[in-house]
């Protein structure tokens, strides 16, 4: 299970929402063997006054937060991060300089999904990759 939050200026999200969605989802599928039908993304549109970032970033500066079950190897997470940078550049032309990624991992027991505690769910994919 992964929940994705994408923060960027409104104009960046308006311009790239669908391409970012594909780039991010494709990276999860490729890097973590994530099921293709599992897409959980939230785009948070920020106005210029509400988004302060360093001057060495462009107006396409984007923050991606990934919340997911713990269990992936360091290598799998590194591959995910590198694939995200690559896919976003290929799909959107947004430089790695303008992308920041944070992965938050929590035990399945800290998730509630479809009326159950997640550690009681039978998953159709492997978490330990």
């Amino acid at each position: 299970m992964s929940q994705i939050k994408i923060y960027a200026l409104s104009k960046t999200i308006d311009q790239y929402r669908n391409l970012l969605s594909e780039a991010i989802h494709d990276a999860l599928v490729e890097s973590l063997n994530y099921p293709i039908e599992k897409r959980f993304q939230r785009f948070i549109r920020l106005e210029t006054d509400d988004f302060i970032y360093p001057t060495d970033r462009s107006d396409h500066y984007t923050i991606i937060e990934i919340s997911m079950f713990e269990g992936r190897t360091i290598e799998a997470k590194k591959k995910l991060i590198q694939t995200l940078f690559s896919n976003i550049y290929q799909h959107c032309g947004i430089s790695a300089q303008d992308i920041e990624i944070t992965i938050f991992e929590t035990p399945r027991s800290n998730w509630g999904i479809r009326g159950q505690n997640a550690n009681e769910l039978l998953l159709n994919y492997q978490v330990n990759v």
Side-chain angles (χ1 to χ4, degrees):
M1 179 70 174
S2 295
Q3 290 281 346
I4 316 298
K5 294 178 190 171
I6 302 102
Y7 300 87
L9 289 173
S10 294
K11 64 183 178 178
T12 298
I13 289 176
D14 291 345
Q15 182 175 357
Y16 294 113
R17 179 185 292 110
N18 292 336
L19 295 172
L20 278 168
S21 177
E22 288 301 319
I24 293 166
H25 188 66
D26 290 351
L28 286 165
V29 170
E30 177 184 336
S31 302
L32 303 180
N33 300 320
Y34 201 66
I36 212 158
E37 73 277 4
K38 302 280 187 187
R39 187 181 304 226
F40 301 97
Q41 302 171 346
R42 292 181 304 286
F43 287 86
I44 295 100
R45 302 168 78 244
L46 299 166
E47 298 308 318
T48 306
D49 290 347
D50 298 322
F51 197 28
I52 300 167
Y53 48 86
T55 57
D56 64 344
R57 306 307 197 280
S58 81
D59 285 347
H60 294 309
Y61 177 64
T62 302
I63 299 171
I64 299 168
E65 293 181 352
I66 303 169
S67 296
M68 63 184 184
F69 297 154
E70 65 184 0
R72 277 75 177 204
T73 64
I74 291 172
E75 292 78 19
K77 291 180 277 189
K78 284 182 177 182
K79 181 179 179 184
L80 173 60
I81 288 169
Q82 289 307 311
T83 304
L84 283 164
F85 287 136
S86 175
N87 284 6
I88 291 169
Y89 183 74
Q90 289 174 11
H91 285 71
C92 307
I94 298 174
S95 163
Q97 175 71 14
D98 283 328
I99 303 294
E100 291 193 16
I101 302 160
T102 307
I103 297 173
F104 300 95
E105 293 182 287
T106 56
R108 287 174 57 181
S109 60
N110 289 1
W111 292 64
I113 302 169
R114 297 186 313 264
Q116 291 183 300
N117 191 279
N119 65 348
E120 298 169 357
L121 288 175
L122 294 177
L123 301 175
N124 63 347
Y125 59 95
Q126 182 67 31
V127 172
N128 298 320
V129 294

